[in-house]
Amino acid sequence: MLVLGIETSCDETGVALYDSEKGLLADALYSQIDMHNEYGGVVPELASRDHVKKLLPLIQATLDQAEVTSEQVDAIAFTKGPGLVGALMVGTMTARAIAFAWGIPALGVHHMEGHLLAPMLEDTPPTFPFVALLVSGGHTQLVQVEGIGQYQLLGESLDDAAGEAFDKAAKMMNLPYPGGPHIAKLASQGTPGRFTFPRPMVDRPGLDFSFSGLKTYTLNTVQALEKEQGELSDQDKADIAHAFQEAVVETLAIKCRRALEQTGMKQLVMAGGVSANIRLREKLEQALAKVGGQVFYARPQFCTDNGAMIAFAGLQRLQAGQQDDLAVKPVARWPLTELPAI
């Protein structure tokens, strides 16, 4: 089965073709980062309009790249939610219209299930069951995964997600949007030990997260330095970035190790945009090695939003006979645990 995947949940337009026999044939991605950077964050209306402009040309470019015609495509998978409603609407309506015109089935995919299954695109994929750490801009969750659609939520962020915390910490230091990559780059130049930030909620039982207090601690540190010396130096920013990143990744590592011990599992899948963070990968590998655990993650280009993960996730459900009717609607909020098992 050859599936065309479409991703338009936020600020990236992604398209891919995935074949059940040959694997990934082609993928294309357009990022709106430069446009939204001017405003310090995603502007939903601008995001939606840009998806309208970019989606059809990207679909054609992907077909051309794979040397595939529309007649060869067997089904379309698209992101139905969660995400920005306007952005989701563009992908949903486009996918549904094309599927109707081509006379093929279409299926709405859960965005976070796409991320969760993205490591399956690699040469050495994980096998079920495993624990998944989902760390994207709007989500930080630990999920016990027995199979596709068999998800049990173990813990989640009670306030800001890790990705949001990275972006907000970056904004405090006047770094460009999105903040995560800029924090990570600065952190590598930081002085270890100059600042020590708290590891939130690691001293209490459970697997939930909270990053709002860490965000406040970072703001207080920034303001104290500004009051003392007028403005932050480049080294100040690097040292704060280092302390902030260490606090986030160590908190995540502690909770992930605890999740493996609690479930008795040995495999951890890390997915979502924050999973591209090199320091987080190092910290998780070190922490889980102590309990005989193994970490799996996608290559960097498939950590952020992309069409390949949607095509792959859609393929699994399409092959199980699932599809949507013409009345499909995008869903801004959609708990992962509500998905049917296959």
Side-chain angles (χ1 to χ4, degrees):
M1 177 181 281
L2 179 59
V3 177
L4 174 68
I6 295 174
E7 155 62 24
T8 63
S9 66
C10 190
D11 59 346
E12 286 160 322
T13 312
V15 180
L17 280 164
Y18 193 92
D19 186 272
S20 57
E21 300 296 328
K22 301 176 183 178
L24 185 64
L25 301 184
D27 72 286
L29 183 72
Y30 177 81
S31 174
Q32 303 173 0
I33 285 177
D34 290 342
M35 177 176 66
H36 296 296
N37 182 44
E38 180 180 350
Y39 304 94
V42 177
V43 181
E45 179 64 23
L46 295 181
S48 302
R49 293 183 181 187
D50 205 59
H51 286 309
V52 172
K53 294 177 183 178
K54 301 299 191 304
L55 184 52
L56 287 178
L58 273 182
I59 291 174
Q60 188 59 58
T62 304
L63 292 171
D64 293 343
Q65 180 185 343
E67 299 181 345
V68 165
T69 64
S70 59
E71 290 80 9
Q72 294 173 275
V73 178
D74 297 306
I76 299 180
F78 59 93
T79 302
K80 186 166 106 175
L84 301 176
V85 172
L88 292 168
M89 184 72 75
V90 175
T92 298
M93 296 299 100
T94 302
R96 204 64 202 81
I98 293 175
F100 179 76
W102 292 354
I104 57 177
L107 176 70
V109 172
H110 193 291
H111 180 73
M112 295 311 296
E113 182 170 71
H115 276 304
L116 188 152
L117 297 178
M120 301 284 188
L121 294 166
E122 302 305 315
D123 293 334
T124 55
T127 56
F128 299 112
F130 53 77
V131 171
L133 170 65
L134 303 179
V135 274
S136 67
H139 297 81
T140 299
Q141 297 177 324
L142 278 167
V143 182
Q144 183 172 328
V145 181
E146 299 292 340
I148 296 177
Q150 300 177 55
Y151 308 131
Q152 178 185 346
L153 183 63
L154 300 174
E156 62 184 337
S157 180
L158 304 178
D159 38 60
D160 288 347
E164 291 174 320
F166 267 102
D167 288 340
K168 291 176 180 178
K171 196 169 185 177
M172 294 171 194
M173 295 185 283
N174 296 315
L175 300 177
Y177 171 85
H182 296 284
I183 289 281
K185 184 177 180 180
L186 270 180
S188 65
Q189 304 162 26
T191 305
R194 180 184 174 191
F195 300 108
T196 301
F197 287 6
R199 277 59 171 158
M201 294 185 68
V202 299
D203 59 347
R204 65 185 72 177
L207 297 172
D208 286 330
F209 303 90
S210 172
F211 294 106
S212 63
L214 177 59
K215 180 187 65 178
T216 302
Y217 194 96
T218 304
L219 179 60
N220 290 340
T221 302
V222 169
Q223 291 178 336
L225 284 173
E226 289 176 337
K227 183 178 180 180
E228 177 183 330
Q229 56 196 43
E231 63 179 19
L232 299 183
S233 68
D234 290 342
Q235 191 59 51
D236 290 334
K237 292 180 181 180
D239 294 346
I240 291 171
H242 182 276
F244 175 84
Q245 179 174 262
E246 285 299 299
V248 173
V249 301
E250 186 169 343
T251 298
L252 293 172
I254 289 171
K255 295 285 186 171
C256 287
R257 177 176 174 176
R258 190 179 295 175
L260 289 190
E261 291 173 337
Q262 178 177 308
T263 60
M265 294 184 181
K266 296 297 183 182
Q267 295 184 106
L268 177 82
V269 164
M270 177 175 60
V274 182
S275 68
N277 184 288
I278 300 301
R279 182 57 180 154
L280 177 57
R281 295 184 176 195
E282 293 173 348
K283 201 74 174 181
L284 278 175
E285 289 171 356
Q286 293 169 5
L288 300 191
K290 297 176 181 177
V291 294
Q294 187 176 6
V295 186
F296 296 85
Y297 39 75
R299 71 198 80 165
Q301 73 190 81
F302 295 145
C303 290
T304 54
D305 297 348
N306 63 88
M309 69 181 192
I310 301 302
F312 180 82
L315 171 67
Q316 312 311 308
R317 292 187 173 277
L318 285 159
Q319 286 184 318
Q322 296 182 19
Q323 67 180 74
D324 285 323
D325 58 29
L326 287 171
V328 64
K329 297 179 182 179
V331 184
R333 297 183 181 277
W334 188 7
L336 189 66
T337 52
E338 290 184 359
L339 294 177
I342 61 171

